[in-house]
Each structure stands twice: as C-alpha cells, then as structure tokens.
Amino acid sequence: MPSAPPMSHFQIPPPKIAGGPYVMGVLNVTPDSFSDGGAHDAAAAPHALAMLEAGADIIDVGGESARPGAAPVEEGEEIARVVPVIAAVRAVIKAPISIDTTKPAVARAAISAGASIWNDIAALQSPGALETAAALHRPVVLMHMQGEPGTMQNAPRYDDVVTEVIAFLRARVEAAVAKGIEEIWVDPGIGFGKTLKHNLALLNNVERIAGETGRRVLIGASRKSFIAAIDAHAQDAAKGRLGGSVAAALIAAQRGAAMVRVHDVAETVQALKVWRALG
Ligand code: 9MG
C-alpha cells in the first residue's frame, strides 16, 4: 500500500503592509501575562481579534515566560495553558498562529490545536526538536540566545556579537535543512543574553544577518529592557516603553527585518505605514 502523503506545507500569506514587514502580535498566556501582552483565557480570542484588526498578520501564543529570571514551566502545564487558547483563537480567526515554545510536545499539541508556525527561542536545540519540526512540516523561527532565561542577563559576553550570532544561526539553519525543514526564519534574539551594546549592534546589522544566513529575519524588541537602559523613564515595561518599542520595530524594518514581534500592534503598524507611504 502506498504511504500517506506528507501533511500539506503551510504557506504564510503575504504581509498586510505592502512590502512588509509582517507584524506578529504577542499573546502571552502566563500568570504574569497581563503586563506582557497577555490575556486571561476568556479574553484571549478578543485580544487576538483586536490585534488582527489593528493590522497584525500573525498571533504568537506563548505559555512560558522568557523574561530574564523567569521560572521554567513543566510541559503538561504549558500544554494546558496554550492549547485551549489556540483552539479558542483558531475558532474566530483565519490568520496564522505561531506557538512560542522550546518543547516538542508543546509544539505538536499546539499545531494539532490550530497553530501553523513554531517560534522557538531555543532554535530547535531541545532533544527531539529538529525531528519534530521536520515531521510537522510547518515554518520555524530559530532564535539566538546566550545562556538560559533564568541567568542570561547576568554577564553576557561576546568578542564580536554580530559575527557570533550569525555563526550560531547559520549552524542551526544547516541542522534544520539537513532534517528537511523548508521554511526557516532566523532571529538574533534581542535581549536574550545581550547587553545594550550587543542589542544595538544586532539591530544595526539586520541586513547582514539576513544576507549571511540567507534567511528572512524576525526582530522582537518590543517592551524589552534595553529601552530602559537608553531612557530611564522607561522602567515600566507595559506603560513606559511604547515609543522605544515602535522606534525599534521601525528601525528593524528599515534595516531589513521581514517580521517584527510586537505587543503594541496599532501603534507599530501606523509607524510602519507612514514609513512605507514615503515609497
Ligand atoms: C517569545 N519571544 C520573546 N521575545 C522574542 C523574540 O525577540 N523573538 C522571538 N522569535 N520570540 C520571542
């Protein structure tokens, strides 16, 4: 008997802003999520809808905080957080949903519930992650992080951050390609084991990262603490970093980012549209 055909390959539709970038709206489902782009279960679908109406292309659902110092979440608990939310969001929207996880079992459960993209801050380095991603036939985002969320901001060190991040991303792309994974995005991981200087160097070199990895680049700078390292008035992540977040997304797009991951969708989309209107 002939074997079953592979699951169909998912294609991300074109970005809403002509010429891009794609805008990925953050939907965190963690206990501390209300101040971090989050919503409680019942509010998740309306929040996702609001982000889409404001111009988001993709909704990124995450059940484990990646903030510096955040505690790890057990696999079963993470699945219990994200699956009902993905199912509820999928019931009301057609747009792609990405699952922000490092765990293959969570990615599998999320894709079964309706997610279509695996956003992995660990770049498919967890045991079995490459094989799982290959079997899922979905686009993946491979992100760079030095260390682990609990300790990554203690003392980040690089001789040449841009060169080292590119070397890491190239190696992860090669590993993914070797397993047959087709649609691969890369992400230098703003704020993940990086000082202000490192973050600025990476933002300034998005075009080089895209060129030397041969992949489209996603940048997530929204509400990150490097903004407070530039402006002392930005201590409150949810309320005090809007201007810096929008500026960083715009700069990333101008430097060649093909996707920006943001909490404040309407404000970011407006800024991107003004830039695109210049032609
Ligand atoms: C989940 N998450 C938090 N920050 C992120 C970033 O900068 N990039 C990606 N891909 N995911 C992120």
Side-chain angles (χ1 to χ4, degrees):
M1 215 166 89
S3 58
M7 211 188 303
S8 65
H9 291 251
F10 173 80
Q11 295 277 325
I12 305 177
K16 286 180 183 163
I17 299 175
Y22 286 97
V23 175
M24 174 186 266
V26 177
L27 182 57
N28 281 331
V29 212
T30 57
D32 64 350
S33 60
F34 221 72
S35 61
D36 188 24
H40 301 299
D41 276 18
H47 187 51
L49 263 177
M51 288 196 282
L52 288 175
E53 272 161 25
D57 296 286
I58 294 165
I59 303 298
D60 190 44
V61 176
E64 179 177 38
S65 175
R67 281 182 181 168
V73 177
E74 192 266 322
E75 179 179 289
E77 167 66 19
E78 197 178 329
I79 291 174
R81 286 181 188 176
V82 298
V83 163
V85 167
I86 291 170
V89 172
R90 173 52 66 230
V92 293
I93 72 166
K94 284 201 172 69
I97 300 169
S98 54
I99 173 67
D100 148 27
T101 188
T102 62
K103 300 184 185 76
V106 178
R108 269 195 303 272
I111 301 283
S112 295
S116 343
I117 300 167
W118 184 354
N119 173 26
D120 188 356
I121 63 167
L124 301 179
Q125 293 180 99
S126 303
L130 281 169
E131 293 73 15
T132 300
L136 289 170
H137 296 287
R138 294 294 187 276
V140 295
V141 180
L142 306 178
M143 197 197 79
H144 175 273
M145 165 167 43
Q146 187 181 80
E148 290 173 3
T151 52
M152 65 191 178
Q153 287 306 107
N154 289 355
R157 267 193 63 85
Y158 303 84
D159 290 325
D160 176 340
V161 65
V162 178
T163 302
E164 288 169 47
V165 166
I166 289 173
F168 170 85
L169 293 173
R170 283 174 61 118
R172 294 314 299 159
V173 167
E174 250 177 57
V177 168
K179 292 286 181 194
I181 299 170
E182 287 176 0
E183 185 165 349
I184 303 168
W185 291 66
V186 297
D187 181 337
I190 299 296
F192 284 85
K194 278 114 189 164
T195 63
L196 171 61
K197 205 171 128 209
H198 300 142
N199 289 318
L200 296 180
L202 291 165
L203 268 178
N204 249 332
N205 281 279
V206 173
E207 204 170 344
R208 183 176 155 204
I209 296 168
E212 293 187 22
T213 59
R215 301 288 159 168
R216 290 183 288 182
V217 175
L218 186 161
I219 292 288
S222 180
R223 296 190 185 174
K224 292 204 173 155
S225 62
F226 80 95
I227 299 167
I230 296 169
D231 178 6
H233 295 103
Q235 298 310 318
D236 185 318
K239 297 193 192 102
R241 298 181 189 168
L242 176 59
S245 300
V246 171
L250 185 59
I251 291 162
Q254 291 174 341
R255 301 279 198 280
M259 193 182 303
V260 290
R261 181 182 182 275
V262 305
H263 297 83
D264 303 292
V265 173
E267 293 84 351
T268 308
V269 166
Q270 189 174 81
L272 291 167
K273 282 180 173 170
V274 169
W275 167 54
R276 282 299 187 198
L278 296 174

